[in-house]
Amino acid sequence: MMSGHAYAHGIGEYYALPVPIQYYLLGSAIAVAVSFFLFALFLNKRGDLKNVERRINAAWLPKALLTLKALTLGLLLLIVTAGIFGEQQVSTNFGPVYFWVFFLIGFSLLSILVGNSWQYISPFKTISNLLKLKAGPKGPIKTIPWWLPATLLLLLFWWELISGVSYVPMYVGGVLLVYSLLNPYLATVYKDWLSKGEVFAALFNTVGKLAYINIGKDAKTLIIAKPARKVANKPASKATLLLASVLLAGASFDSVRETVLWSNILRVIGINSNTGMTLANTAGIIIAPLPFLISFVIAIRIMQKLTGSTYSWQILARRFAWSLLPIAFGYTLAHNFSLFITSLPAMLAVLSDPFGWGWNLFGTTSLAKTPLLLGAKTVWFIEISFVVLAHVVGVWFAHVIALRTFKTERDVNRSQYPMVILMLGYTIMTLWLLSQVLVT
């Protein structure tokens, strides 16, 4: 089992900022604020908001999807077998590093590039199709509870951050084996389970709403359309709003628990045992989505008052929930970027020896001792870029949605005041949290 902070999301070296952190926070906030004014000036023609789709024939696509489907299934089988039968050292086992870093981040990135790709290559869907479990005579009859996908994602974060066994290979392999066999049964109980209920499908398909490219229903065409225009046409579901809040909360709480402030809070209230810390961290991650939800709802209520909208605040919240998605994904990417950099040499090494049995299939095992590809300074500026860009995209989404929602330019601009303040607060908070585990 790894130590408590061996795989923390810092990179193992410190970078002394040349200027105080406050200047970085101020500069990033100004960049987000300027984007609001630019969108207000130049993105104000309602005629530009038509959701125009362009279709491209892709004769190669079916074979590419079949190859990716076989690859994802093979990788899942490798995680399970390596986890259960391989050496139980994190550094020499393929399963934990691949699953927690390269699977989650890699397929999120793929979903950003091709929005609905997961539904065509999901290994869990492939296993379900192979097992061919049958539902009742009327098929799956239960509707997926709207809160269930977000709850499963929160449970996934708990397993990763708090359980203490998330990087134990046998647990990774065993849990994924049970989960793989459970999904075919759940698909016979719940409607659309493998596209909306299964936690990775819910996560990747939601993130995929940000993509310019999607696969057509015939799996032979690519559909290109601007994502902000697509989402502006339809309010998000309650499930999407909650999922975005949990995604923001997971990365945020991981940073919070690595701060001196959190340690001091636990010390002051007398928590110093492992059991006490586990309970406190569990309570923390359960509560973590609430600040994002509450602040978002407050911004929406203010928006409703400023514009005099006839829409209820619940409808406005669902319409503007799409603007949280770029922020949630951008912060998750920024938060995990340092872990990706530190894990890359180890990942390349274990590809040659996934079970830790002394193989060297591709001649890459020596790469485990490769120095860091990027230093703390470079990582810090890349993370700043991810966070700022994500918030700028969030402002863009919010502005396009406002153009769809409100009739006058005055109301469009007024609606954005609370949203910009909200996003400025998110920007400052996320960068401050990132800096706590990277710089001194």
Side-chain angles (χ1 to χ4, degrees):
M1 184 183 299
M2 69 173 190
S3 64
H5 57 272
Y7 274 75
H9 289 212
I11 71 169
E13 67 177 71
Y14 287 92
Y15 168 52
L17 296 176
V19 297
I21 182 65
Q22 291 88 341
Y23 292 152
Y24 289 98
L25 302 182
L26 179 61
S28 300
I30 290 173
V32 174
V34 168
S35 69
F36 159 72
F37 291 107
L38 292 177
F39 288 134
L41 285 173
F42 298 108
L43 187 62
N44 55 11
K45 295 181 180 179
R46 297 176 189 275
D48 294 339
L49 295 181
K50 294 179 180 178
N51 185 24
V52 179
E53 294 183 349
R54 185 159 61 95
R55 293 177 176 266
I56 300 175
N57 290 325
W60 50 267
L61 189 56
K63 290 183 178 179
L65 292 175
L66 183 61
T67 301
L68 287 173
K69 182 186 293 186
L71 179 62
T72 56
L73 180 60
L75 287 170
L76 176 61
L77 292 175
L78 184 57
I79 294 174
V80 171
T81 55
I84 295 174
F85 301 108
E87 292 293 325
Q88 294 300 300
Q89 296 295 321
V90 177
S91 59
T92 58
N93 193 292
F94 174 82
V97 176
Y98 170 75
F99 176 69
W100 290 115
V101 183
F102 296 88
F103 169 73
L104 289 174
I105 299 301
F107 282 98
S108 293
L109 287 171
L110 179 60
S111 299
I112 286 288
L113 296 176
V114 184
N116 58 345
S117 55
W118 181 253
Q119 69 187 56
Y120 291 94
I121 64 176
S122 166
F124 306 109
K125 191 172 185 177
T126 302
I127 292 171
S128 295
N129 291 337
L130 290 173
L131 292 179
K132 295 181 179 179
L133 296 185
K134 294 183 179 180
K138 296 183 179 180
I141 58 174
K142 291 187 178 181
T143 301
I144 300 168
W146 65 271
W147 47 263
L148 184 57
T151 301
L152 292 176
L153 182 60
L154 194 65
L155 184 61
L156 184 69
F157 282 133
W158 180 88
W159 179 29
E160 179 193 7
L161 305 176
I162 299 169
S163 70
V165 296
S166 59
Y167 277 86
V168 177
M170 185 171 291
Y171 280 93
V172 174
V175 169
L176 287 178
L177 175 61
V178 172
Y179 185 71
S180 299
L181 297 176
L182 185 62
N183 275 303
Y185 166 72
L186 292 173
T188 67
V189 177
Y190 292 104
K191 296 178 182 178
D192 303 319
W193 173 259
L194 293 169
S195 60
K196 296 180 180 179
E198 191 268 304
V199 64
F200 302 111
L203 173 60
F204 298 144
N205 290 338
T206 300
V207 169
K209 299 295 184 181
L210 305 177
Y212 270 87
I213 302 173
N214 282 272
I215 299 170
K217 291 182 179 179
D218 60 359
K220 296 179 181 179
T221 57
L222 294 175
I223 302 172
I224 300 176
K226 292 184 178 181
R229 296 182 185 182
K230 288 188 298 182
V231 300
N233 291 324
K234 184 179 180 181
S237 64
K238 291 187 293 185
T240 298
L241 175 56
L242 188 58
L243 195 76
S245 301
V246 170
L247 192 58
L248 277 166
S252 300
F253 184 73
D254 190 24
S255 293
V256 166
R257 73 188 185 93
E258 293 174 350
T259 63
V260 174
L261 176 62
W262 181 251
S263 299
N264 290 339
I265 291 173
L266 295 184
R267 189 180 302 112
V268 167
I269 61 180
I271 295 177
N272 48 32
S273 66
N274 289 336
T275 300
M277 292 183 67
T278 298
L279 292 174
N281 286 330
T282 299
I285 200 168
I286 292 173
I287 295 171
L290 292 181
F292 295 100
L293 274 173
I294 292 171
S295 59
F296 177 71
V297 169
I298 289 173
I300 293 297
R301 295 298 295 266
I302 294 173
M303 176 194 295
Q304 186 186 36
K305 296 294 183 182
L306 289 177
T307 60
S309 175
T310 56
Y311 287 113
S312 68
W313 69 265
Q314 292 94 336
I315 294 297
L316 287 176
R318 289 176 56 196
R319 294 188 73 91
F320 283 88
W322 297 117
S323 64
L324 294 180
L325 275 184
I327 301 170
F329 175 75
Y331 185 38
T332 301
L333 187 60
H335 179 73
N336 288 280
F337 183 71
S338 57
L339 185 58
F340 172 84
I341 291 299
T342 56
S343 302
L344 185 56
M347 187 74 260
L348 294 174
V350 297
L351 281 174
S352 286
D353 187 18
F355 293 86
W357 291 345
W359 299 347
N360 193 8
L361 299 176
F362 307 112
T364 60
T365 54
S366 61
L367 294 177
K369 299 179 181 179
T370 302
L372 289 178
L373 301 177
L374 300 175
K377 177 180 179 180
T378 304
V379 170
W380 168 242
F381 281 104
I382 291 174
E383 290 180 346
I384 287 179
S385 300
F386 284 152
V387 171
V388 173
L389 179 60
H391 283 85
V392 169
V393 175
V395 172
W396 169 40
F397 270 52
H399 191 81
V400 172
I401 293 167
L403 285 170
R404 287 285 195 192
T405 304
F406 303 105
K407 295 181 179 180
T408 67
E409 184 177 344
R410 169 182 171 273
D411 286 343
V412 168
N413 290 333
R414 282 193 169 192
S415 72
Q416 296 307 283
Y417 298 156
M419 294 302 294
V420 170
I421 293 173
L422 177 71
M423 292 182 187
L424 290 177
Y426 284 174
T427 302
I428 292 171
M429 181 203 69
T430 53
L431 286 179
W432 181 81
L433 286 174
L434 285 171
S435 72
Q436 301 307 297
V437 295
L438 181 67
V439 301
T440 183

